[in-house]
């Protein structure tokens, strides 16, 4: 049996037909949840969190332009030059205004690219993509603080110090039901690194008051909180272990992961009652965690868990590290839900970057896109702008993931940025198991890599994305 709009993957207003068995709940329950959230103010914006909006994370009910080279509407980089700041990710409000998170601060543009305000926070810097909620923009900084600013003029509403430092990874500040989530306490121990964020913090989004603190079994990296419903939150740690908590901070379950490992990746939430986690496997004896292979082929793993119980439903081994958060939705050429997983080991010359798309229900491989190989020792835009960034008071390198986080549009096109600087629109429209040729692959050269917290953001007839140094907006 097929139903229209029953799954959240393409939004409650989707015209795609989706197999009913791919849905966890009847469509009326999902619609009720979505409508309640809209009344509560979370869905008034097109792309409020760095990974979209509840309950459609990483997917959109809108369509973006497939022909990227002929649809660029406007772009922005620092007025003194591309490399004077690092840009992380975007949000889009109900009026199609675009909010840009950058190392030196935050900016708001109207839909045509006019700068409406900017808030420069130097010498503090930020590494995460912010969030918008009920008239405020939220972001954390590497000094260990989180602040809220007024979306109208960029003025500060409140600032809360959470720890002495927040690590220089690329995570997401996410808001749900009036609760703001952030990772904090940059300190040891940390798998393969000196310091990582040890704590997950929840704050009152209205007042900035700290509500609770949770210490996971392993530190978090590129922290991303997602929300299965109105009352709970899920996230993974750097080993791929998934945690489900209430919004009050009570642990419901924790499961999965591979102890002693580290991943740049994050979790994905499906409308089919599953949460998907990623992890890297242990490196071969004598090799570092980044593999040092030529080209690197160290495998990783994707795990699907039941979001209610935490039970593992399936696991698949990936040929390369799954180093960003996947996306779950309906893709062109295939029935039911798919899991889009970007694979790549960054910062290794000759590393191959692929996108693998799996059956979200079973883990069976559906199609593959073979992306670029890393051309240089550093990724696109990093070596060229090192000294300029140092002189500007921001981090010297972007050192991003191999891919941005992927986003699935309402027509099943996958938008994703690559470390070689290419922003891709992908589809396997003929269902032959590969995305290849001009009918299925389009690319726009941004000339810079994409941070792990960069996720293409969609609004009606528009897609916006931040590379490591610029903002690009494409329109149908």
């Amino acid at each position: 049996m097929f139903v229209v709009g029953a799954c959240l993957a393409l939004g409650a207003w989707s015209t795609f037909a989706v197999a009913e068995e791919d849905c966890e709940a009847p469509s009326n329950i999902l619609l009720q949840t979505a409508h309640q959230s809209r009344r509560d103010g979370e869905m008034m914006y097109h792309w409020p969190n760095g990974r979209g909006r509840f309950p459609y994370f990483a997917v959109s009910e809108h369509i973006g332009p497939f022909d990227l080279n002929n649809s660029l509407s406007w772009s922005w980089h620092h007025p003194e030059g591309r490399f004077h700041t690092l840009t992380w990710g975007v949000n889009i409000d109900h009026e199609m205004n675009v909010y840009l998170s950058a190392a030196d601060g935050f900016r708001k543009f109207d839909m045509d690219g006019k700068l409406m305000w900017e808030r420069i926070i130097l010498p503090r810097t930020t590494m995460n993509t912010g969030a918008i909620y009920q008239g405020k923009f939220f972001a954390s900084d590497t000094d260990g603080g989180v602040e809220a600013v007024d979306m109208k003029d960029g003025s500060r509403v409140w600032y809360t110090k959470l720890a002495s430092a927040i690590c220089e990874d690329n995570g997401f500040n996410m808001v749900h039901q009036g609760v703001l989530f952030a990772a904090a306490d940059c300190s040891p121990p940390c798998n393969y690194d000196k310091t990582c964020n040890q704590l997950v913090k929840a704050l009152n989004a209205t007042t900035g008051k700290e509500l609770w603190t949770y210490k996971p079994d392993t530190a978090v990296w590129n922290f991303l909180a997602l929300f299965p419903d109105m009352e709970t939150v899920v996230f993974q740690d750097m080993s791929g272990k998934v945690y489900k908590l209430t919004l009050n901070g009570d642990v419901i379950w924790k499961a999965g992961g591979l102890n002693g490992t580290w991943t740049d990746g994050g979790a994905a939430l499906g409308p089919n009652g599953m949460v998907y986690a990623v992890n890297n496997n242990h490196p071969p004896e004598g090799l570092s965690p980044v593999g040092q292979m030529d080209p690197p082929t160290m495998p990783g793993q994707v795990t699907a868990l039941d979001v209610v119980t935490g039970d593992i439903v399936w696991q698949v081994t990936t040929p390369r590290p799954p180093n960003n958060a996947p996306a779950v939705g309906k893709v062109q050429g295939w029935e039911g839900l798919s899991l889009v997983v970007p694979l790549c080991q960054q910062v290794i010359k000759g590393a191959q970057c692929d996108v693998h798309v799996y059956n979200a229900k079973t883990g069976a491989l559906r199609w593959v896109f073979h992306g670029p190989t890393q051309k240089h020792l550093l990724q696109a835009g990093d070596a060229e702008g090192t000294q300029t960034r140092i002189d500007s008071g921001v981090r010297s390198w972007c050192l991003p993931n191999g891919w941005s986080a992927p986003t699935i549009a309402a027509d099943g096109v996958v938008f994703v940025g690559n470390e070689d600087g290419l922003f891709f629109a992908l589809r396997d429209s003929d269902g032959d198991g590969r995305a290849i040729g001009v009918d299925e692959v389009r690319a726009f050269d941004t000339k810079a890599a994409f941070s792990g917290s960069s996720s293409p953001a969609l609004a009606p007839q528009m897609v916006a994305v931040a590379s490591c140094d610029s903002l690009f907006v494409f329109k149908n």
Side-chain angles (χ1 to χ4, degrees):
M1 177 180 179
F2 287 84
V3 291
V4 175
C7 282
L8 294 179
L10 293 172
W13 307 275
S14 171
T15 57
F16 273 111
V18 181
E20 190 174 45
E21 60 265 25
D22 282 334
C23 300
E24 167 77 355
S27 59
N28 61 328
I29 295 177
L30 300 180
L31 285 167
Q32 181 180 354
T33 301
H35 292 161
Q36 177 63 47
S37 180
R38 185 180 292 277
R39 288 195 298 271
D40 291 342
E42 290 193 36
M43 293 185 65
M44 63 186 295
Y45 307 127
H46 292 297
W47 204 261
N49 292 296
R51 287 300 275 151
R53 67 183 187 186
F54 175 83
Y56 317 119
F57 299 112
V59 297
S60 176
E61 68 269 28
H62 303 299
I63 296 173
F66 182 72
D67 186 1
L68 296 171
N69 277 305
N70 290 312
S71 57
L72 180 66
S73 176
W74 57 272
S75 63
W76 177 92
H77 59 66
H78 195 283
E80 295 182 28
R82 277 178 53 201
F83 306 128
H84 283 265
T85 190
L86 291 157
T87 46
W88 307 127
V90 297
N91 310 99
I92 306 175
D93 68 18
H94 59 302
E95 296 177 334
M96 307 277 284
N97 299 311
V98 178
Y99 299 76
L100 176 66
S101 299
D104 64 340
F106 327 116
R107 294 168 175 86
K108 177 181 179 179
F109 304 86
D110 72 11
M111 64 184 298
D112 297 315
K114 178 184 176 181
L115 180 65
M116 301 181 74
W117 56 256
E118 64 180 2
R119 178 172 178 79
I120 304 303
I121 65 171
L122 292 173
R124 293 185 295 126
T125 62
T126 185
M127 293 286 294
N128 292 342
T129 294
I132 53 177
Y133 179 83
Q134 293 188 346
K136 302 183 196 63
F137 174 89
F138 304 89
S140 59
D141 62 53
T142 53
D143 282 1
V146 177
E147 75 177 306
V149 302
D150 192 304
M151 287 169 56
K152 292 181 179 179
D153 58 14
S155 61
R156 178 184 284 182
V157 178
W158 55 255
Y159 184 86
T160 299
K161 186 79 167 177
L162 298 181
S164 60
I166 294 174
C167 284
E168 291 188 359
D169 54 5
N170 286 125
F172 299 84
N173 293 119
M174 305 284 281
V175 187
H176 184 57
Q177 292 294 98
V179 181
L180 170 66
F181 291 87
D185 187 21
C186 186
S187 60
C190 182
N191 298 342
Y192 309 134
D193 204 73
K194 295 180 180 179
T195 56
C196 291
N197 288 316
Q198 305 295 322
L199 304 175
V200 173
K201 298 273 190 175
L203 293 81
N204 183 307
T206 301
T207 66
K209 179 182 178 181
E210 190 172 323
L211 300 175
W212 51 263
T213 299
Y214 177 72
K215 182 177 176 59
D217 297 338
T218 303
V220 295
W221 189 263
N222 289 0
F223 177 70
L224 169 62
L226 298 171
F227 314 105
D229 50 46
M230 307 294 278
E231 299 175 347
T232 62
V233 57
V234 296
F235 60 89
Q236 74 161 68
D237 65 25
M238 67 191 307
S239 75
K241 178 181 284 188
V242 180
Y243 303 77
K244 184 179 182 182
L245 281 63
T246 69
L247 293 187
N248 293 322
D250 299 321
V251 179
I252 300 173
W253 57 257
K254 52 185 178 179
L258 184 60
N259 289 336
T261 62
W262 165 86
T263 179
D264 266 326
L269 193 62
N272 53 355
M274 288 198 280
V275 57
Y276 301 85
V278 299
N279 66 267
N280 286 334
N281 290 343
H282 290 289
E285 188 69 27
L287 290 180
S288 78
V290 296
Q292 293 183 350
M293 302 179 188
D294 189 19
T297 56
M298 190 176 74
Q301 187 169 251
V302 178
T303 302
L305 303 96
D306 186 296
V307 77
V308 175
T309 65
D311 295 335
I312 294 176
V313 179
W314 56 257
Q315 289 181 312
V316 297
T317 298
T318 60
R320 296 180 178 86
N323 268 354
N324 210 322
V328 187
K330 178 74 168 61
V331 299
Q332 275 195 32
W334 295 85
E335 296 293 338
L337 296 174
S338 294
L339 179 73
V340 179
V341 184
L343 307 177
C344 192
Q345 179 58 62
Q346 63 266 35
V347 202
I348 295 183
K349 185 177 180 180
Q352 177 69 43
C353 294
D354 300 329
V355 175
H356 280 205
V357 179
Y358 299 91
N359 184 316
K361 183 178 181 181
T362 67
L365 184 63
R366 288 186 153 179
W367 59 266
V368 175
F369 169 65
H370 295 295
T373 58
Q374 186 173 322
K375 290 184 174 64
H376 307 288
L377 181 62
L378 293 178
Q379 294 150 287
D382 257 12
E384 303 94 308
T386 300
Q387 190 59 51
T388 300
R389 287 186 284 265
I390 292 173
D391 294 341
S392 299
V394 299
R395 174 180 163 125
S396 58
W397 294 340
C398 185
L399 282 181
N401 300 18
W403 295 96
S404 77
T407 297
I408 304 172
D411 59 352
V413 169
V414 175
F415 290 100
V416 65
N418 177 261
E419 65 176 10
D420 200 41
L422 297 176
F423 180 52
F424 286 101
L426 305 173
R427 60 190 181 192
D428 178 26
S429 51
D430 58 10
D432 69 349
R434 58 182 184 169
I436 191 170
V438 295
D439 290 336
E440 296 184 333
V441 178
R442 296 294 177 92
F444 177 88
D445 190 1
T446 71
K447 304 187 184 305
F450 296 78
S451 77
S453 57
S454 177
S455 177
L458 272 76
Q461 307 296 315
M462 182 175 84
V463 58
V465 68
S467 71
C468 281
D469 58 41
S470 302
L471 167 65
F472 299 89
V473 175
F474 306 84
K475 294 182 181 179
N476 286 332

